[in-house]
Amino acid sequence: MWARAVWLAFRSGLGGCQAFSTKANFQGSGPITVEVIEHLERLALVDFGSREAVARLEKAIAFADRLRAVDTDGVEPMESVLEDRCLYLRSDKVAEGNCAEELLQNSHQVVEEYFVAPPGNISLPTLGEQERTLPTQLSSYSGKGVSCEHMKAQ
Amino acid sequence: MLGRTLREVSVALKQGQITPTELCRKCLSVIQKTKFLNAYITVSYEVALKQAEESEKRYKKGQSLGELDGIPVAVKDNFSTAGIETTCASNMLKGYIPPFNATVVQKLLDQGAVLMGKTNLDEFAMGSGSTDGAFGPVKNPWSYSKQYREQRRLRSPGERRGADEDWLIAGGSSGGSAAAVAAATCFAALGSDTGGSTRNPAAHCGLVGFKPSYGLVSRYGLIPLVNSMDVPGILTRCVDDAAAVLGVLAGHDPKDSTTVQDPVKPFVLPSLTDVSKLCVGIPKEYLVPELSSEVRSLWSKAAGLFESAGAKVIDVSLPHTSYSIVCYHVLCTSEVASNMARFDGLEYGHRCDINESTEAMYAATRREGFNDVVRGRILSGNFFLLKENYENYFIKAQKVRRLIANDFVNVFNSGVDVVLTPTTLSEAVPFLEFIKEDNRTRSAQDDIFTQAANMAGVPAVSVPAGLSPQGLPIGLQFIAPAFGDQKLLTVAKWFEKQIQFPVTQLQELTEDCPSGFENDNSASVFLKQC
């Protein structure tokens, strides 16, 4: 959570949905907006965490933009170097399995033969929502709300 | 004994000059003494001794399984090993114990190889220095070689060599495997090669680093980075050893449908005497300004060597070379974004304490489990895969990949048998210098000669070509057409024979450990009888 708190500090300095790029010579489809950052964080379920990380992404994009100089008219995309061969498919017979116990051992939270997950269908709060709810959210991590804590693996 | 090649030791085992358990104990002892290299994440003491005992029983009965029976090997920690922790040098998988063996690991074990342990790497094999793992960086054993330290003393005579500050990187991302073989703790090691991760550390540690053709060796059990480019790599002290290991590992695997079904037989490399029918290509685009003068001169000398032996040496062109690193960057991050999605804390690996929602749990788990490098690549990859960017970045990169693969096809179709290039821009650099640039920049610089072979799926091998004026190894790379692995290794073996890279140097490494840096007389009791 601390990462989000730091993030909010950045935003409060900028004010509103300002474009995040500060490089004057940034070439590409456009500067990285806060919307793109949020979108990427939701898709990847990994956060940037710092301004440096955003700068690194900008550099990565600028680096990738060099591809524009290559003439690829009439060239088909290559997905695999083995595209001229047929993928091997084995016959549909059960060859191995029955290892539920072994697989369950690697998980932190299981109940009988189930992996235990927290409730789904709850979106990650956006940065805007976080701003409003930050104080209460911190307290909710102390155990309030739905918790599967009691369902520990035996 | 420990400085010998795999095949020499195999003969010694057969002849009873040494037993598997003695050999295993010696190697374990060296591992203990070279702990400061941080080459191993997990040392499998009991497993190794047990395997060695079983091998000994087989030798006593005269029923050895083959060349690899009783030979200590090490495996990079991104290969799954049943019952042995597999971490990929990441917090995400700390404590993860796979319930199965990777196919290549199983094949080694089926031949009686003795598993010494799991070696260190960059986190999830992302990097070119083996410096960004959760268990710390790997130190290049050559940092402690007599020659290198002698040179340092000559250049800064007044300097009191107290702290171990100037140690060199081992290269990456299979640096731990390379350090393990170079420090004589094992005779062969498995690495993985996605953009040069086996060849780069091989060049920096004076070893043979072999990347097989894509589809020749099974990837089942190798925790994937880039599915369309990953291959298991082999690190050994000489080309014959690499061929011996390849003979065991190659072949179709029903569990990996990207392995080809062509029949594969183990082979013994012929010893070429006549290279007059050989055509070696030197790609002019590889002569970049950043190439160090030492590497350039060795490259040029090697070309001269082939020419004076009667081979045809010609300039060739791989026109899209300058774009291949960019293309690699896009494709690699895109596939990484997809492959890393499996780490959510639910079924295996690290799990955070947050239980508000699945998304919150996944996000926190992944923030805690991955380091900056991995997260950066995931985010870049997701950017390139966004609907609005897909065509311009991902598809574009796939098209450029075809152009690069075609470059190689065109060169090989024009009568060239192998292409000769440098492996790295320079010899191994000190860690403190290496970390001045970030991981992505370094990877873009260091992978420049090696990743094109991964994009095209062709086999490549780095062979030690000589020592720099500082006393550090420099490797040169040979590239051959797809599934031309045998021919590639044959040429590499011929080259190796001309160069006679000193294997004996390794003895000096193990005799000289930094247990007391104050003065060199403290090269204490250190494996006097090897």
Side-chain angles (χ1 to χ4, degrees):
Chain A
M1 268 324 277
W2 63 266
R4 291 239 176 235
V6 171
W7 189 255
L8 294 167
F10 294 156
R11 271 206 59 203
S12 59
L14 291 175
C17 294
Q18 204 174 313
F20 219 79
S21 170
T22 51
K23 283 162 76 119
N25 58 349
F26 180 83
Q27 13 148 343
S29 35
I32 307 182
T33 59
V34 172
E35 282 82 20
V36 172
I37 290 174
E38 272 186 17
H39 189 41
L40 287 177
E41 288 191 341
R42 291 285 294 281
L43 284 176
L45 284 180
V46 150
D47 61 343
F48 279 90
S50 68
R51 194 178 209 134
E52 282 85 30
V54 180
R56 276 199 292 265
L57 176 62
E58 291 175 353
K59 278 203 212 113
I61 297 169
F63 188 59
D65 279 332
R66 292 196 215 170
L67 283 180
R68 286 165 196 253
V70 186
D71 177 15
T72 50
D73 273 338
V75 180
E76 285 298 303
M78 177 184 246
E79 275 156 13
S80 165
V81 294
L82 299 176
E83 57 189 1
D84 292 333
R85 297 172 184 250
C86 283
L87 201 64
Y88 168 75
L89 293 175
R90 63 182 175 86
S91 57
D92 190 12
K93 292 203 200 100
V94 174
E96 55 182 12
N98 280 326
C99 50
E101 229 183 270
E102 280 175 302
L103 295 176
L104 288 166
Q105 269 169 23
N106 273 313
S107 173
H108 287 272
Q109 288 190 10
V110 290
V111 165
E112 291 180 15
E113 289 202 333
Y114 293 88
F115 294 108
V116 178
N121 278 331
I122 301 174
S123 307
L124 274 184
T126 61
L127 288 173
E129 284 166 6
Q130 288 219 358
E131 212 168 31
R132 285 192 295 276
T133 62
L134 192 57
T136 53
Q137 269 196 320
L138 285 172
S139 67
S140 80
Y141 286 146
S142 59
K144 212 178 83 174
V146 186
S147 158
C148 305
E149 225 81 50
H150 62 283
M151 292 179 151
K152 284 272 187 241
Q154 266 110 45
Chain B
M1 179 63 68
L2 292 189
R4 298 206 203 158
T5 69
L6 189 153
R7 297 174 90 214
E8 285 170 353
V9 173
S10 182
V11 168
L13 284 170
K14 272 210 181 73
Q15 293 173 347
Q17 289 171 28
I18 187 170
T19 68
T21 47
E22 280 169 352
L23 188 60
C24 179
R25 284 211 181 85
K26 276 193 173 23
C27 287
L28 286 174
S29 158
V30 181
I31 293 178
Q32 267 298 99
K33 295 196 165 109
T34 52
K35 247 194 175 136
F36 57 89
L37 294 176
N38 204 17
Y40 285 85
I41 294 179
T42 308
V43 183
S44 44
Y45 294 98
E46 288 105 27
V47 166
L49 284 168
K50 184 154 162 287
Q51 288 168 350
E53 277 161 18
E54 279 166 20
S55 173
E56 197 158 309
K57 285 192 203 130
R58 288 191 292 266
Y59 273 107
K60 282 212 173 87
K61 287 196 216 151
Q63 290 170 352
S64 81
L65 294 167
E67 259 185 327
L68 288 175
D69 203 341
I71 302 286
V73 297
V75 166
K76 187 173 178 183
D77 207 15
N78 59 355
F79 286 93
S80 304
T81 41
I84 302 176
E85 191 183 4
T86 298
T87 63
C88 295
S90 175
N91 286 320
M92 185 58 89
L93 288 179
K94 252 191 202 159
Y96 167 63
I97 299 183
F100 69 104
N101 275 325
T103 298
V104 288
V105 172
Q106 190 61 55
K107 283 187 171 178
L108 287 177
L109 296 177
D110 286 343
Q111 286 290 308
V114 175
L115 182 61
M116 289 288 117
K118 308 299 291 300
T119 57
N120 204 351
L121 58 152
D122 279 307
E123 182 155 339
F124 281 109
M126 298 186 199
S128 58
S130 298
T131 51
D132 280 318
F135 297 93
V138 179
K139 299 186 184 179
N140 192 329
W142 286 84
S143 318
Y144 306 101
S145 67
K146 281 206 176 92
Q147 248 184 317
Y148 178 66
R149 289 168 78 187
E150 192 62 46
Q151 287 296 318
R152 300 284 306 179
R153 216 172 322 161
L154 287 173
R155 262 174 288 122
S156 5
E159 202 179 275
R160 194 171 156 268
R161 303 193 63 246
D164 177 28
E165 288 174 343
D166 52 359
W167 60 269
L168 309 162
I169 55 159
S173 58
S174 312
S177 287
V181 178
T185 64
C186 60
F187 294 89
L190 285 185
S192 68
D193 197 311
T194 305
S197 295
T198 295
R199 291 161 283 158
N200 180 303
H204 286 319
C205 294
L207 301 172
V208 170
F210 174 58
K211 173 212 167 297
S213 301
Y214 181 84
L216 190 61
V217 181
S218 171
R219 288 182 299 111
Y220 178 75
L222 166 61
I223 295 172
L225 186 65
V226 181
N227 298 71
S228 65
M229 296 186 212
D230 283 349
V231 286
I234 301 171
L235 289 140
T236 53
R237 282 179 219 150
C238 70
V239 178
D240 272 330
D241 289 353
V245 178
L246 179 66
V248 168
L249 298 183
H252 175 66
D253 180 15
K255 294 183 187 168
D256 177 0
S257 54
T258 58
T259 50
V260 297
Q261 291 176 262
D262 303 347
V264 163
K265 290 185 308 214
F267 47 81
V268 174
L269 289 180
S271 292
L272 263 187
T273 41
D274 173 26
V275 291
S276 57
K277 295 198 184 61
L278 192 68
C279 179
V280 179
I282 310 284
K284 53 185 197 255
E285 291 86 0
Y286 279 57
L287 185 62
V288 294
E290 297 88 356
L291 188 62
S292 81
S293 53
E294 294 94 12
V295 178
R296 186 167 350 133
S297 83
L298 273 177
W299 186 21
S300 166
K301 250 186 5 196
L305 203 68
F306 277 99
E307 205 160 36
S308 50
K312 194 164 138 205
V313 179
I314 55 172
D315 275 341
V316 294
S317 176
L318 293 167
H320 296 93
T321 298
S322 58
Y323 298 106
S324 72
I325 188 72
V326 185
C327 180
Y328 174 72
H329 160 74
V330 174
L331 293 178
C332 175
T333 49
S334 303
E335 292 217 33
V336 160
S338 172
N339 277 324
M340 295 294 126
R342 71 190 69 197
F343 298 108
D344 54 19
L346 208 52
E347 291 163 43
Y348 44 77
H350 173 67
R351 180 175 177 148
C352 68
D353 290 327
I354 291 172
N355 275 312
E356 304 309 303
S357 67
T358 25
E359 281 207 24
M361 190 275 272
Y362 291 171
T365 296
R366 289 157 70 81
R367 183 190 320 125
E368 289 167 20
F370 292 141
N371 72 1
D372 285 338
V373 175
V374 180
R375 282 164 41 208
R377 289 204 194 188
I378 294 173
L379 288 163
S380 304
N382 273 295
F383 180 84
F384 298 133
L385 293 172
L386 288 176
K387 240 192 308 204
E388 60 263 27
N389 296 330
Y390 196 79
E391 189 71 37
N392 293 333
Y393 290 97
F394 185 65
I395 299 288
K396 181 84 180 180
Q398 286 189 317
K399 291 180 180 175
V400 176
R401 182 177 184 179
R402 181 178 297 282
L403 293 174
I404 293 164
N406 285 346
D407 279 354
F408 277 102
V409 168
N410 292 338
V411 163
F412 291 127
N413 278 347
S414 70
V416 172
D417 296 302
V418 287
V419 165
L420 169 63
T421 77
T423 309
T424 52
L425 286 170
S426 70
E427 67 211 1
V429 298
F431 174 71
L432 291 174
E433 197 182 304
F434 186 78
I435 51 174
K436 285 186 187 155
E437 296 274 8
D438 74 19
N439 184 291
R440 189 193 62 79
T441 314
R442 281 293 180 212
S443 297
Q445 292 165 348
D446 298 334
D447 286 346
I448 194 169
F449 298 128
T450 48
Q451 38 74 30
N454 294 84
M455 304 264 282
V458 290
V461 64
S462 174
V463 182
L467 292 177
S468 73
Q470 285 196 61
L472 296 174
I474 291 178
L476 289 178
Q477 176 180 234
F478 293 92
I479 308 174
F483 302 104
D485 302 64
Q486 192 170 347
K487 194 208 272 192
L488 175 72
L489 290 175
T490 306
V491 174
K493 179 172 161 175
W494 180 87
F495 178 71
E496 177 187 62
K497 192 146 171 252
Q498 314 307 309
I499 293 293
Q500 299 278 338
F501 189 79
V503 177
T504 49
Q505 292 262 358
L506 299 172
Q507 289 300 95
E508 290 170 9
L509 290 180
T510 54
E511 281 162 14
D512 213 11
C513 82
S515 54
F517 304 124
E518 314 301 317
N519 51 54
D520 263 20
N521 297 333
S522 69
S524 38
V525 188
F526 200 79
L527 228 52
K528 283 296 156 80
Q529 76 277 24
C530 276

